[in-house]
Amino acid sequence: TSLLLMVGIMVTVGLCRRLTRRQLRSHQRLYTFLLEMFSTFQICACTNELCLLGNVEPKPHTALTLTYGFTVLHGLTLTGSTCNPCGTLQPMWGGGISVKMGGLKIAAQFVAAVLARMFMHFIWSLEMAEPHFGALSQSCSNPMQTTEVQAFCIELLFSVVFQLTVLRVESVNPKYKVHLIALLITMLVYAGGNLTGAIFNPALAFSLHANCFYDKFLSYSLVYWIAPSLGKCYLVH
């Protein structure tokens, strides 16, 4: 049921993206906003569901296999979208896109993060699958299982490694590149998922752990917003 749900989300987002391209290409700002919003919604919604499947046996093989598989699918279906505020900040600081366009994309990403969380909470309330039972009773699931300093360094390092790899494989054939990036993300999740969740995406972090930001805004914003953003700044300079 969970797998069908995620596939359904991807199909629906694909249809929405195609409709946006056909009908709104002449309205550049709205076109950019909606494409980025739909794409980020897909990643946030599917990852919310994947987090519920993290305890499915055999652990961690099932979770890592699903992470790799759906990362490949995201890469193949969401071409042209960043889906990560840090990935948008880098070309902004480098002069690749204007501040207005970058701000529009980041706004779309956080709007999508909130919408994805609301949508998944509605789906979980229907309790269509066993992992959904009790999902809404969790307040802050607390992905940070280490000190704030260590968590900050981990998210900073992972952000640098991820973005550096993305830059290095830009010239690689797209059908191979998506697998390389998916493999890297799976390895990072395996290496640091039990410590910080290995998110290195501010919008995704907010969608997954909004309650944690409400409870401990300063520490979570430092680890999941500031750290990955600094990683992108480092690469720009």
Side-chain angles (χ1 to χ4, degrees):
T1 302
S2 290
L3 295 178
L4 288 175
L5 171 62
M6 288 186 283
V7 170
I9 290 171
M10 296 177 72
V11 171
T12 303
V13 167
L15 293 174
C16 291
R17 280 168 55 89
R18 178 176 298 182
L19 183 63
T20 300
R21 286 196 178 97
R22 288 182 178 178
Q23 302 296 328
L24 298 173
R25 190 177 289 274
S26 60
H27 302 80
Q28 188 60 38
R29 290 187 179 180
L30 181 59
Y31 171 80
T32 300
F33 182 89
L34 289 178
L35 276 186
E36 196 66 34
M37 186 186 74
F38 289 138
S39 302
T40 308
F41 177 90
Q42 175 176 310
I43 288 181
C44 290
C46 289
T47 306
N48 267 280
E49 186 69 16
L50 278 175
C51 287
L52 294 185
L53 303 178
N55 292 322
V56 174
E57 296 292 346
K59 295 189 296 184
H61 305 85
T62 300
L64 292 174
T65 301
L66 290 173
T67 298
Y68 176 82
F70 276 92
T71 302
V72 170
L73 291 175
H74 292 322
L76 293 174
T77 59
L78 302 179
T79 53
S81 297
T82 308
C83 308
N84 186 336
C86 296
T88 304
L89 286 174
Q90 186 178 5
M92 281 176 60
W93 286 323
I97 61 174
S98 67
V99 174
K100 285 185 178 180
M101 189 60 70
L104 188 69
K105 287 187 174 185
I106 292 174
Q109 291 156 1
F110 275 99
V111 168
V114 174
L115 291 176
R117 182 171 180 82
M118 293 171 61
F119 173 75
M120 293 310 298
H121 276 212
F122 168 72
I123 295 296
W124 293 344
S125 69
L126 302 178
E127 297 186 339
M128 296 185 298
E130 184 177 348
H132 298 172
F133 299 155
L136 295 179
S137 63
Q138 302 174 4
S139 53
C140 171
S141 55
N142 195 16
M144 203 187 306
Q145 299 297 318
T146 183
T147 66
E148 290 181 13
V149 174
Q150 289 178 331
F152 182 92
C153 293
I154 290 171
E155 288 293 312
L156 174 65
L157 175 62
F158 283 6
S159 179
V160 171
V161 170
F162 175 72
Q163 192 59 34
L164 185 61
T165 302
V166 170
L167 294 174
R168 293 292 185 183
V169 301
E170 277 187 348
S171 58
V172 176
N173 188 311
K175 65 180 181 180
Y176 300 126
K177 179 170 69 174
V178 68
H179 288 280
L180 291 173
I181 293 176
L183 179 61
L184 172 66
I185 290 176
T186 305
M187 291 172 61
L188 293 177
V189 169
Y190 178 73
N194 62 325
L195 297 175
T196 66
I199 302 172
F200 48 91
N201 181 334
L204 178 59
F206 187 71
S207 184
L208 294 176
H209 306 293
N211 290 332
C212 297
F213 282 92
Y214 300 149
D215 295 341
K216 303 175 182 178
F217 177 79
L218 180 59
S219 61
Y220 273 77
S221 60
L222 283 172
V223 171
Y224 294 106
W225 288 354
I226 304 300
S229 298
L230 288 177
K232 299 300 185 291
C233 292
Y234 170 79
L235 290 174
V236 170
H237 295 294

